Amino acid sequence: MALVLCDSMTRYTCMFAYKFCSFCGVELRYVDNLDSMCLIRVLLMISDVLHAGSGNKNAAKPLIAAEYVGVEIKLFSNFVMGVSNKTPEFLKMNPLGKVQWFTVLLIVGSCSETPEGPIFESNAIARYVTKLKDGNSLYGSSLIEYAHIEQWMDFSATEIDAGIARWLYPRAGLVVFIFLRLMVNSIVIMLFLKAEENAIAALKRSLGALNTHLASNTYLVGDSVTLADIIMTCNLSIGFRMILTKSFTSEFPHVERYFWTMVNQPNVAKILGEVKQTDSIPPPPSTKKPAQPKEPAKPKAKEEPKKEVKEPAKPKEVEAADEEEAPKPKPKNPLDLLPPSKMILDEWKRLYSNTKTNFREVAIKGFWDMYDPEGYSLWFCDYKYNDENTVSFVTLNKVSGFLQRMDLVRKYAFGKMLVIGQEGPYKVKGLWLFRGQEIPQFVIDECYDMELYDWKKVDLSDEDQKERVNQMIEDQEPFEGEPLLDAKCFK
C-alpha cells in the first residue's frame, strides 16, 4: 500500500506522515491535489498494526474479521516469538508478554498524534476490529443475535479452545508433562492417564454440544458468518491441524461439515491458508536431555618441531598401574550370559512378518517347531485398570507408549498386545515371549508400565493356554467372545 503526499499539505502534516509511514512500513509517493483531511482518512485506514507471529491462530481472528469488515491491518514485520515479546517496549503495551496486541493511532486535526493505547487478548482485538465499521453483519442484526454471538464466543474460548489445549499442550511439550520416566510409582502414572482421559472426555462433551447445535444450523448464529464463527474456526483449526484426527472428529459430522465450510470461505482461507487434518496424535515429548553441542575444535597453533627427548623407561610397577587404569569393558546383558538356545528369535520374527496366508499352518506351526522351552518363556499379561479404558484413543496410546518403552528388550523378546471390545471400557491383554525363564529384571526396573499389568507364566502342559497363545499370535477375532479394536505387535 502507498501513501501519497502533495504540495497543499502543511509541513507538519508531511513530517508526521513520513514518520508514521516509516513505522508502519508504508511506501510514500508524491501526488498532487490531496488535502490534509483526505490524508487523515487514509491514515485512519492504515493505522492499525497487529503484533503477532504469522501462522498464529489467535492473530488470525482479528485478521479474518478485518477481511469481512474491509479494514486493512498490517501484521508487525520481523516479529520473533520469545524475542520480540520480551522487550521492554512490548511488555509496556502487554504486561503478560502475549503475542497479540494492537496499536491504534487516532489523528486529530492535520498534524497531532494522540495514542489511544494498545489492546491485548485476541478476542478483544477481534471485537474492536469488528466495530471499526458500522453496518457489517459480524455482530448480528439485533440485540438477541449480539448476545448469542457473545455466548458462542465464550463457549469457544472456555470449552473448545481450553479443551483442545488440555489435551494437546502436554503432548506438544508446551506445559509440564507429568508422565515422566522418573515417576515409576503406578499411582502417579495413573493420575496422568486419568487427567488426559478427563480432558478428552470433556472435549467430547463440548464437541457433542456443538455438533447438536450445528445439526440444524449452518452457522452458529443466523444465516451468515459472524464473529462467533471466526473465533470458533480459529480455535478449532489448531486442533484439526495437530491432534484431532479423522477417526476422532468422525463422531461429530456436523462439526466437520461446519469447519470445512468455514475454512474454505475466501476471507478465512486468505488468512489461514490450506488446512490439513492431522493423521496422528503427537507422542509425549522425550524425557531424554538433548545432547550438548560440541564446541568447535580450536585450530592448533603451528609448533616448531621439537627435538625428540627419550623418556626414561618406566618401572614395571608403573606400567602395571597404567594397565589397571584402562577403561573397563561394558558389562554384558545378563541374557547374553544364558546358555545358547536352539531358537533363533530373528528367524521367528521373519517368519511372522512374511506369512500372509495360511497363518495357522505356516506361522503358528513354525513357532512351535522353533520354540525352545528351556531358553525362552511365554507370559500372559492383563491390564489392571481396564475399567478406566473408556476412551479408545487414550487406550491405544497407552499400548503404543508401552511398546515404545519396551524397546530396550527388543533383541530378547516378541510380544502381541490386543485391545478388546466394541466400546469402552476396553480390555487390554498381551502375550510376551522372553529370553530366559523369568521376565528380565532390567525390564521390570526400567519400564514402569510393567507394574500396570498382572503377569502370568504360560503353562504349556495346559492345552487351553496353548490354544490361547495361538489365538493371540494370530489376532483371532472374536477373541474370547469379543471383537478386537486393535492388535499391535512388538518384534
Side-chain angles (χ1 to χ4, degrees):
M1 182 174 180
L3 180 64
V4 292
L5 301 178
C6 66
D7 290 335
S8 60
M9 296 180 187
T10 67
R11 179 169 61 89
Y12 299 104
T13 302
C14 295
M15 186 184 302
F16 168 71
Y18 174 77
K19 290 182 178 179
F20 178 74
C21 292
S22 297
F23 172 76
C24 291
V26 177
E27 181 185 356
L28 276 171
R29 293 180 187 171
Y30 181 88
V31 174
D32 200 4
N33 299 323
L34 181 67
D35 62 21
S36 298
M37 291 310 296
C38 184
L39 169 65
I40 292 171
R41 288 192 291 271
V42 174
L43 290 177
L44 282 171
M45 289 175 61
I46 65 168
S47 61
D48 300 333
V49 181
L50 182 65
H51 296 246
S54 59
N56 185 309
K57 59 102 176 169
N58 287 329
K61 298 172 186 177
L63 291 173
I64 294 171
E67 291 294 323
Y68 278 95
V69 174
V71 175
E72 184 172 352
I73 298 177
K74 179 179 174 58
L75 192 64
F76 191 78
S77 59
N78 302 322
F79 186 93
V80 180
M81 180 60 184
V83 178
S84 304
N85 60 314
K86 301 298 181 184
T87 62
E89 294 81 5
F90 190 100
L91 294 173
K92 186 177 178 181
M93 293 185 232
N94 185 347
L96 298 179
K98 292 187 177 181
V99 298
Q100 309 87 30
W101 57 269
F102 201 61
T103 301
V104 182
L105 201 59
L106 294 182
I107 303 168
V108 179
S110 60
C111 64
S112 63
E113 176 184 357
T114 306
E116 192 181 47
I119 308 171
F120 59 87
E121 296 299 335
S122 58
N123 287 4
I125 299 169
R127 287 181 173 98
Y128 176 87
V129 172
T130 300
K131 293 187 175 183
L132 279 176
K133 279 190 176 181
D134 295 330
N136 68 77
S137 60
L138 289 187
Y139 252 130
S141 57
S142 66
L143 185 59
I144 189 63
E145 284 192 353
Y146 167 81
H148 285 158
I149 290 166
E150 288 287 341
Q151 161 195 294
W152 284 110
M153 287 171 63
D154 287 347
F155 177 87
S156 178
T158 59
E159 297 293 331
I160 302 301
D161 195 28
I164 291 171
R166 285 176 61 200
W167 185 14
L168 170 63
Y169 289 1
R171 287 187 166 270
L174 299 177
V175 297
V176 177
F177 192 88
I178 65 170
F179 193 26
L180 296 177
R181 230 183 129 133
L182 298 174
M183 297 184 176
V184 296
N185 188 302
S186 61
I187 298 174
V188 176
I189 295 170
M190 292 313 300
L191 282 175
F192 167 77
L193 296 176
K194 192 68 177 175
E196 184 170 71
E197 285 187 14
N198 289 343
I200 296 172
L203 179 59
K204 281 193 168 189
R205 284 195 298 272
S206 301
L207 289 173
L210 180 60
N211 193 66
T212 301
H213 177 74
L214 291 171
S216 55
N217 295 276
T218 303
Y219 302 105
L220 291 176
V221 181
D223 298 321
S224 62
V225 174
T226 64
L227 186 58
D229 296 302
I230 294 171
I231 302 299
M232 181 69 75
T233 302
C234 290
N235 287 339
L236 284 170
S237 66
I238 189 173
F240 272 76
R241 280 175 161 147
M242 298 190 70
I243 201 164
L244 304 182
T245 59
K246 175 64 179 174
S247 53
F248 180 88
T249 58
S250 61
E251 296 182 34
F252 313 101
H254 302 299
V255 174
E256 284 187 322
R257 182 267 308 159
Y258 166 79
F259 179 75
W260 295 117
T261 298
M262 282 298 302
V263 296
N264 285 294
Q265 297 290 316
N267 288 335
V268 179
K270 182 178 177 181
I271 303 301
L272 289 183
E274 184 182 4
V275 177
K276 290 185 179 179
Q277 188 166 11
T278 183
D279 296 324
S280 60
I281 296 169
S286 174
T287 59
K288 294 181 181 179
K289 292 183 178 179
Q292 294 292 331
K294 293 182 180 179
E295 293 184 5
K298 295 180 180 178
K300 292 183 179 179
K302 290 185 179 179
E303 296 179 0
E304 293 182 6
K306 294 181 180 179
K307 293 181 181 179
E308 292 184 5
V309 179
K310 290 185 179 180
E311 294 182 4
K314 291 183 180 180
K316 288 183 180 180
E317 292 178 3
V318 176
E319 287 180 1
D322 288 347
E323 287 177 8
E324 287 178 7
E325 289 176 5
K328 295 180 181 179
K330 260 182 140 183
K332 284 190 174 183
N333 189 300
L335 299 182
D336 292 329
L337 304 177
L338 294 173
S341 170
K342 69 174 185 177
M343 183 177 192
I344 309 300
L345 189 59
D346 285 342
E347 288 185 7
W348 156 241
K349 291 180 179 181
R350 277 194 294 273
L351 178 64
Y352 174 88
S353 299
N354 296 332
T355 304
K356 307 300 180 186
T357 57
N358 300 323
F359 199 86
R360 274 266 174 166
E361 294 76 11
V362 179
I364 300 295
K365 182 179 182 302
F367 173 78
W368 292 115
D369 290 343
M370 296 180 186
Y371 182 66
D372 173 17
E374 295 179 0
Y376 285 85
S377 57
L378 286 163
W379 296 79
F380 293 127
C381 67
D382 290 280
Y383 192 65
K384 294 178 182 178
Y385 309 99
N386 284 322
D387 57 318
E388 297 185 359
N389 294 335
T390 56
V391 181
S392 59
F393 296 97
V394 177
T395 307
L396 295 173
N397 285 341
K398 286 178 189 176
V399 176
S400 297
F402 174 37
L403 297 183
Q404 288 175 3
R405 289 179 284 278
M406 287 292 280
D407 192 63
L408 75 166
V409 77
R410 191 173 298 276
K411 182 180 173 183
Y412 311 99
F414 172 85
K416 291 301 297 283
M417 295 296 295
L418 307 183
V419 182
I420 305 162
Q422 193 165 10
E423 57 185 26
Y426 302 96
K427 297 175 184 174
V428 177
K429 299 176 183 290
L431 168 73
W432 287 84
L433 171 71
F434 288 116
R435 181 77 165 96
Q437 293 304 304
E438 300 296 332
I439 299 173
Q441 187 61 43
F442 71 90
V443 179
I444 296 172
D445 294 340
E446 293 291 328
C447 185
Y448 48 74
D449 302 75
M450 301 293 286
E451 295 183 13
L452 306 179
Y453 292 83
D454 287 321
W455 295 87
K456 178 184 176 184
K457 195 170 186 178
V458 177
D459 180 4
L460 294 179
S461 64
D462 185 338
E463 287 300 321
D464 289 339
Q465 291 192 38
K466 193 171 179 180
E467 174 58 23
R468 190 170 188 254
V469 170
N470 295 341
Q471 292 175 7
M472 295 186 84
I473 295 176
E474 190 182 13
D475 303 336
Q476 179 171 304
E477 188 175 15
F479 179 76
E480 297 181 345
E482 295 185 83
L484 293 181
L485 176 66
D486 197 9
K488 296 181 183 293
C489 181
F490 176 88
K491 56 185 175 156

